[in-house]
Amino acid sequence: MNTADVIVIGGGIHGCSTALHCRLRGLSVVVVEKDHVARHASGVNAGGVRRLNRHPAEIPLAMASAALWQRIEDLVHDDCGYRQTGQIRVAEGEPGLAAIAARRRLVEGLGYSHEQWIGPEELFELVPAISRHCLGALWTADDGHADPTRTTRAFARQAAALGAEFLTPCRAGMPRRAGGGWQVPTDRGTFSGAQVVNCAGAWGGAVAAALGEPVPIEPIAPMMLVTARMAPFVDPVVASFDRMISFKQSPNGSVVIGGGWRSRAEPDANRAHVEFGELHRLIGTTLDLFPVMRGARIVRSWAGIEGAMPDAIPVIGPSMTAPGVIHAFGFSAHGFQLGPIGGAIVADLVESGATSLPIEPFSIARFAGQAWREAS
Amino acid sequence: MNARLEAPVFDLAIVGAGPAGMAAAVEAAARGLAAVVLDEQPAPGGQIWRNIEASGGRASLGGSYAKGAAHAAAFRAAVADYRPGTLVWHVETADHEPARLWLMQGERVGQLRARRVLIAPGATERPVPVPGWTLPGAMTVGALQTLLKGAEVVPSAPVVLAGNGPLLYLTAVQLAACGARIAAVLWTAPPGAWRGAVPHLPGFLASGTWRAGLGLMRDFRALGIRVVRDVAAIEITGDGRAEAVRYRTAGGASGEIATGLVALHEGVIPATNLARAIGCEHLWDEAQAAFRPRLGPWGQTSVEGVLIAGDGGGIAGADAAPLAGRLAVLGAAHALGRLTLPERDGLAAPLRRDLDRILRGRAFIDRLYPPRLARAALPDAVVVCRCEEVTAGAVRGAVASGAQGPNQIKAFLRCGMGPCQGRFCDPTVTRLIAEARGVPEAEVGQFRLRPPVKPVPLTAFAAAGEEVA
Ligand SMILES: Cc1cc2nc3c(=O)[nH]c(=O)nc-3n(C[C@H](O)[C@H](O)[C@H](O)COP(=O)(O)OP(=O)(O)OC[C@H]3O[C@@H](n4cnc5c(N)ncnc54)[C@H](O)[C@@H]3O)c2cc1C
């Protein structure tokens, strides 16, 4: 029989990062991925490496992850296409300005200073192409963006170079108890390990449910648009407090537009649809914010399958029902930036059962029994 | 208010007004279906009968072209809602709901809904990537033909035609009739191909297509053009543009011909971009060395409500396409409750008989004109993806570092991510992966395509205003 210290279900960025950090601590690892590494959210996301406007509970993790992004090349021997261009979130009207004021109170109250207010003049200097109706923005100078497929593959490659075993394409069945540890049946035989990590993304809920702790996860399909290449005109990633948009120009000149517009996800069929009736509004916002886009042509669109939790933060931490199982799934459309630290947290938990980062808010216990339904 | 619900609903949307789409429109009118015909071209005819109405079926383009005039006239007489100049760039489907078609008309995005969508997209030329194929002056025979039929442009310098297949003969004859000079034909069909074709000869004879075929070959021979036979490899050379073509025959003979214009052709393959963006399942057709959609007897794809007819469903030619188009409409009319089962089958029987007869002849043609340059060993330096300038060597390198299929190649190299959506590189990438992994192309599969099938300006949405939202 095949054995390892840790069996990871899922070859997205969180599974691959977990494999790497476990290997760095000398633990033996098998990653079981039903499709191929980076096939889903981790390979098709917008590549935003963003702390700006994160959920308060995520800020400490995002800070720790940002530190790893700064030295990503040391970690995975690839620069991952990471560019520290800054991220900006503009206010287009009074509601946006009010949102900025509230956000500043919240973030400063927590003792952080990474989100800076910039007035219109500074904004137009940073982003000359942006429409002059914008009133100001929050700005995090050392956020940026990276190439999602390249990043996820780099984590997998480095983990494999250090001895992690990757089984792809290979579906994992549900983990079952065996002696003091766990068995995971797969397309390539049964694997047994002391611990199992659930990094199954949108499919993570199925694993949790099989262990007797169902969660209200929703498979979602955020949509993206890409244009033909254009002459460089914008450096930072731009979002808005007033409307749903995320806007960036890739190093190759194409413009990548998203911002959380959702369509239908069919996780069982590995399918996510694109619905242009929805995207119509995103296109309108794009033209409003960047007049230069009047010359742009859409060449491609896509949607990726992601797991969203009702409170928009992931499940990270030990199972409540199955000792030896650790969850890290449901990153709710912003888990790419957290990839580098996510694996380190899981490796901490595998090694010692604890981590120095504050992960209590992410516990699966928040959904236990009636607790969630009553709270919501 | 939700204007989306108000998009008109048709019984049938026909995408493409070539031989299959035009006949389907005539049949739909006869069955009383509320149909709309959408075609990117400004006039009916598709590829084979492009510009047929305006040209009056010019005699120089031959009898098979002239035949289109009658089809176009019947189409005009029957069709109630025909929208030329309309690109269908995406179709959204959901079970048990009419499909939503996204259109581009002029500078404007539009949409409509239909209970059944019949895609009749025709064929596209098989890419023939040889060293130098991306130089200016190297083009496809089809592109050359389009110039002849549409703009009536006749090349002034001598042309070299390289490849094989009926369309190559036809183009040579048409070019000569229009006054163009042909320096040589580099013919790539192996002489031994006859042996594979002979078992299919009876079917071919029964199909009746041999008459036109023989006539074409007679016309071609009468031109007295220099033909180099059994060509196994070619290379187009030149400094910044095509200046010469070098060739090598299977027997080892080689030569070089000075020319600024080389037209390549090794047959056509189904145009599958729209069907694939919709998510229709495709399978590998070994006889035609191409992927085609998996179709039911009435043209049904794996996606509910989406039908395909004509060469887009598998190459069978302009005589077969109208029959397939009409059969698909009969199937749809029955599914929509407009024909009883016996009515449908009664109307279909003679069509199916004719179609089967033509299809039996096809196997002979497929065996006689197998692609050769398009299947030959590809040097590492040859560019495979023109949009992103990805070479064969880069694709092989990506396979060596773990890419198992076309979609991973796309993620590794951006190959197939350009504005052409993989139209030029798709078959080549699949083949290179299959060769490198030592598995059949059927197992490797194709790029997953994403809408729009052709670029759409952002302003086209703005022009449409709230109508599309
Ligand atoms: C369009 C889009 C844009 C986004 N933009 C951003 C952004 O800009 N910034 C940001 O930070 N985040 C972004 N995100 C979110 C981010 O991509 C995800 O949060 C993150 O990639 C999640 O990683 P993961 O490893 O948990 O999940 P995934 O990448 O989904 O990996 C889970 C893997 O588990 C596998 N699996 C599931 N079940 C099994 C089983 N039984 N056996 C074997 N394997 C199994 C799946 O095949 C899958 O590969 C975006 C997401 C999308 C879809």
Side-chain angles (χ1 to χ4, degrees), chain A residues 36-37 39 147 149 153 226-229 252 254 257 264 271-281 283 286-287 293-303, chain B residues 4 89-90 92-94 102 279 387-388 401 407-408 410-412 414 416-419 421 448 450-452 454-459 461-462 464-466 468-469:
Chain A
H36 57 77
V37 164
R39 162 71 173 85
D147 178 334
T149 311
R153 287 188 52 231
V226 179
T227 72
R229 294 174 185 191
N252 74 14
S254 60
I257 314 167
R264 239 168 347 121
R271 216 173 17 231
H273 297 260
V274 176
E275 287 164 359
F276 278 87
E278 293 292 317
L279 291 178
H280 173 248
R281 277 190 289 279
I283 290 165
T286 301
L287 292 169
M293 296 301 286
R294 301 197 81 74
R297 295 180 310 153
I298 300 168
V299 294
R300 211 157 9 94
S301 65
W302 76 85
Chain B
R4 298 182 60 175
W89 52 267
H90 185 43
E92 289 172 11
T93 60
W102 286 94
C387 303
E388 300 287 334
S401 63
N407 295 303
Q408 284 166 285
K410 190 153 115 177
F412 281 36
R414 305 190 52 78
M417 277 195 169
Q421 282 266 23
R448 228 178 350 260
R450 302 301 191 196
K454 288 194 182 167
V456 178
L458 260 65
T459 46
F461 283 86
E466 278 305 306
V468 301

Side-chain angles (χ1 to χ4, degrees), chain A residues 9-15 32-36 38-49 54 170-174 199-203 222-224 248 302-306 328-338:
Chain A
I9 303 177
I13 190 159
H14 284 278
V32 188
E33 165 55 55
K34 66 182 170 57
D35 297 306
H36 57 77
R39 162 71 173 85
H40 293 289
S42 299
V44 303
N45 64 61
V49 177
R54 285 237 167 220
C170 179
R171 181 178 293 276
M174 293 307 138
C199 289
W203 298 263
M223 298 185 281
M224 306 290 307
K248 80 172 66 68
W302 76 85
I305 304 174
E306 165 75 320
F329 68 89
F331 282 85
S332 308
H334 40 261
F336 178 62
Q337 193 273 352
L338 295 174

